[in-house]
Amino acid sequence: DGGITQSPKYLFRKEGQNVTLSCEQNLNHDAMYWYRQDPGQGLRLIYYSQIVNDFQKGDIAEGYSVSREKKESFPLTVTSAQKNPTAFYLCASSIPGRGHQPQHFGDGTRLSIL
Amino acid sequence: QKEVEQDPGPLSVPEGAIVSLNCTYSNSAFQYFMWYRQYSRKGPELLMYTYSSGNKEDGRFTAQVDKSSKYISLFIRDSQPSDSATYLCAMSDYGGSQGNLIFGKGTKLSVKP
């Protein structure tokens, strides 16, 4: 079955630690996205990538970094510079092209502070 | 004024009721409108996707877009307990970038048996 796999489901971060969230898709989509979801808040865009080896900052990129070395993979690193990392992180993908294409989501990673 | 406004609820209805969920927006450039359903501890699942104004129906779900009023709705007929979830509206102007999808905060729906 095609889909987006995020791992781990739950992650704990210690003070001063960087952690990496995994996102893999087998939908053959070119575009991938990372969102952050806080209670009572809408989804906020962290980073997105429309093609391999290229990515753009979203609305709340500070304290985060990404890479896009393969079409299928778009890992997100939450660095120690992100002072409030506790949130639900969602990865999405879509087919870029003429006209807008809807985004499809993985089941998220919940990050908490130890 | 926020770009997309959505009543957070919670909204509680009896099984079989017709549910109406709504979002208003301020950016007249929005052309693409989506509704996502999100179960607890899961990612959002695309329910409905519409372009510009008009209605779209899929089974028990109907999406309406009124661009003149900057108002979109999702109707659920014959609601079931399995419809209990948070419903997120999302919209885009597609200004040439794929990174401009704007979400509402979501409405939490509970359908009681």
Side-chain angles (χ1 to χ4, degrees), chain A residues 33 37 45 48 97 100 103 107, chain B residues 36 38 43 49 94 97-99:
Chain A
Y33 313 80
Q37 187 176 33
L45 183 65
Y48 66 100
H100 185 273
Q103 296 177 17
D107 275 338
Chain B
Y36 287 87
Q38 186 176 22
Y49 177 67
Y94 186 63
S97 165
Q98 288 286 333

Side-chain angles (χ1 to χ4, degrees), chain A residues 10 33 37 40 42-43 45 48 50 88 90 94 97 99-100 102-103 105-107, chain B residues 32 34 36 38 41-44 46 49 88 92 94 97-99 101 103-105:
Chain A
Y10 301 95
Y33 313 80
Q37 187 176 33
L43 276 66
L45 183 65
Y48 66 100
Q50 296 194 48
F88 191 45
L90 288 159
S94 71
H100 185 273
Q103 296 177 17
F105 286 84
D107 275 338
Chain B
Y32 302 89
M34 285 135 276
Y36 287 87
Q38 186 176 22
R41 300 188 188 87
K42 294 287 192 179
L46 182 67
Y49 177 67
L88 301 163
S92 172
Y94 186 63
S97 165
Q98 288 286 333
L101 194 62
F103 285 84
K105 292 184 178 181

Side-chain angles (χ1 to χ4, degrees), chain A residues 2-6 23-35 43 45 47-51 68 70-74 90-97 100-108, chain B residues 34 36 43-46 49 98-99 101 103:
Chain A
I4 300 172
T5 302
Q6 290 188 242
C23 178
E24 303 277 331
Q25 54 98 359
N26 60 4
L27 298 167
N28 201 32
H29 286 172
D30 284 304
M32 297 186 74
Y33 313 80
W34 275 105
Y35 290 90
L43 276 66
L45 183 65
Y47 269 99
Y48 66 100
S49 167
Q50 296 194 48
I51 198 166
R68 186 84 189 275
K70 298 187 301 182
K71 185 176 181 177
E72 303 79 19
S73 178
F74 190 39
L90 288 159
C91 178
S93 70
S94 71
I95 307 169
H100 185 273
Q101 298 293 331
Q103 296 177 17
H104 300 270
F105 286 84
D107 275 338
Chain B
M34 285 135 276
Y36 287 87
E45 168 195 9
L46 182 67
Y49 177 67
Q98 288 286 333
L101 194 62
F103 285 84

